[in-house]
Amino acid sequence: MEEILSKLPAFDPGSVWLVGAGPGDAGLLTLYGYEALRQADVLVYDALVGQDILSLTGPDTILEYAGKRGGKPSPKQTDITERLIALAREGKKVLRLKGGDPYIFGRGGEEALMLAAHNIPFRVIPGISSGVGGLAYAGIPLTHRETNSAVTFLTGHDASGEVPNVDWEHIAKGSPVIVIYMGLKHIATITERLIGFGRPKEEPVAVIFKATTEEQEVIVSTLENAAIDVETSGLKPPALIVVGEVVNLRPHLDWYSRYSAGIDGI
């Protein structure tokens, strides 16, 4: 292990690493991410980064919380980016740690563009997105030869917090599997639009809460009933919404629930 880590690139003072922490399970962190945690002078982290990952930092690393949660007081994106620039200019090794992947609905592109504009050296370390890892832990393949050869990833809200202005008709008609990030607030509107543009009311839907963590919960429903079932459950974000026939494979492939319960085999 040490031999592998010794070959990784140096974390230079005055630079920023934009690192994806993965969907929640600390074991899904990449080696690059692990090494960045060990070397960083300052860690600026998001709301969805768990304590078990934060505990991997060096003893002298300074932790700064910069979490953004819908409907709650949050730091502005410009303030976060300006803080990264200021820390780098102080000669710090700055780790910007984000849940999932920095470039998948994580505003990593915005931060990287600002760093580039201010001539701050940076490196991007991909992470396992919840839309990939979360589905795997829920027993739902993202693709399967008998169900789909295409997938659409959507954010459940735009920059203003409203339902995104995307081509719902063509998504409904053209994408066999739809994975929606941060869509719980608007799940009723989203499912209504998909049904309105021709998706079957009985099409299976899974809602995955706190994916890949010990608190993971999965609700399996239909487009018609998903919003009601989520409200009845009382479960809260973070959550992923998955629409498509691949959801029907969950009873056969739900390894994580069995593993968590100590059940051998599938």
Side-chain angles (χ1 to χ4, degrees):
M1 181 68 165
E2 290 298 327
E3 181 180 355
I4 295 173
L5 292 174
S6 69
K7 296 178 181 179
L8 298 182
F11 197 162
D12 295 324
S15 67
V16 178
W17 282 23
L18 302 171
V19 178
D25 187 339
L28 298 179
L29 186 72
T30 65
L31 284 178
Y32 277 127
Y34 173 68
E35 186 64 8
L37 283 163
R38 297 205 309 172
Q39 292 190 36
D41 294 320
V42 182
L43 169 63
V44 182
Y45 65 99
D46 275 353
L48 297 181
V49 178
Q51 185 59 46
D52 50 354
I53 292 177
L54 296 177
S55 68
L56 298 174
T57 56
D60 299 322
T61 302
I62 298 171
L63 275 60
E64 294 191 6
Y65 177 72
K68 300 176 75 66
R69 302 297 293 138
K72 298 180 180 180
S74 302
K76 295 180 180 179
Q77 185 60 50
T78 53
D79 294 337
I80 296 172
T81 308
E82 288 174 2
R83 181 60 177 159
L84 298 177
I85 294 169
L87 289 167
R89 286 179 171 165
E90 292 174 10
K92 306 294 187 183
K93 302 174 185 177
V94 185
L95 170 54
R96 176 69 170 114
L97 192 63
K98 295 173 168 290
D101 179 270
Y103 278 2
I104 300 182
F105 305 126
R107 305 189 185 186
E110 298 173 41
E111 294 174 0
L113 284 169
M114 288 298 294
L115 293 170
H118 287 80
N119 296 313
I120 302 296
F122 68 91
R123 175 182 288 270
V124 179
I125 307 300
I128 297 176
S129 173
S130 60
V132 177
L135 268 67
Y137 272 52
I140 302 170
L142 190 58
T143 65
H144 186 67
R145 285 198 300 174
E146 295 180 4
T147 59
N148 66 301
S149 56
V151 178
T152 296
F153 291 111
L154 292 176
T155 175
H157 61 79
D158 60 18
S160 67
E162 299 302 317
V163 178
N165 183 24
V166 297
D167 192 338
W168 288 102
E169 180 177 4
H170 284 88
I171 290 172
K173 293 179 178 178
S175 185
V177 172
I178 306 169
V179 179
I180 304 163
Y181 294 65
M182 302 169 289
L184 212 60
K185 178 181 178 181
H186 300 302
I187 187 171
T189 301
I190 290 170
T191 52
E192 286 172 5
R193 289 190 183 182
L194 292 174
I195 292 170
F197 285 117
R199 301 290 284 219
K201 293 181 179 180
E202 65 276 8
E203 184 169 20
V205 173
V207 185
I208 309 167
F209 297 84
K210 299 184 178 180
T212 80
T213 72
E214 294 180 352
E215 300 174 88
Q216 175 176 293
E217 298 269 0
V218 182
I219 292 176
V220 175
S221 184
T222 62
L223 272 178
E224 183 176 31
N225 297 322
I228 295 173
D229 290 343
V230 165
E231 182 178 1
T232 302
S233 75
L235 295 171
K236 303 298 181 183
L240 283 165
I241 303 168
V242 187
V243 180
E245 293 300 321
V246 288
V247 173
N248 286 333
L249 297 175
R250 172 174 157 77
H252 308 286
L253 303 179
D254 181 20
W255 65 273
Y256 187 61
S257 292
R258 293 173 179 268
Y259 171 81
S260 300
I263 300 173
D264 293 329
I266 296 294

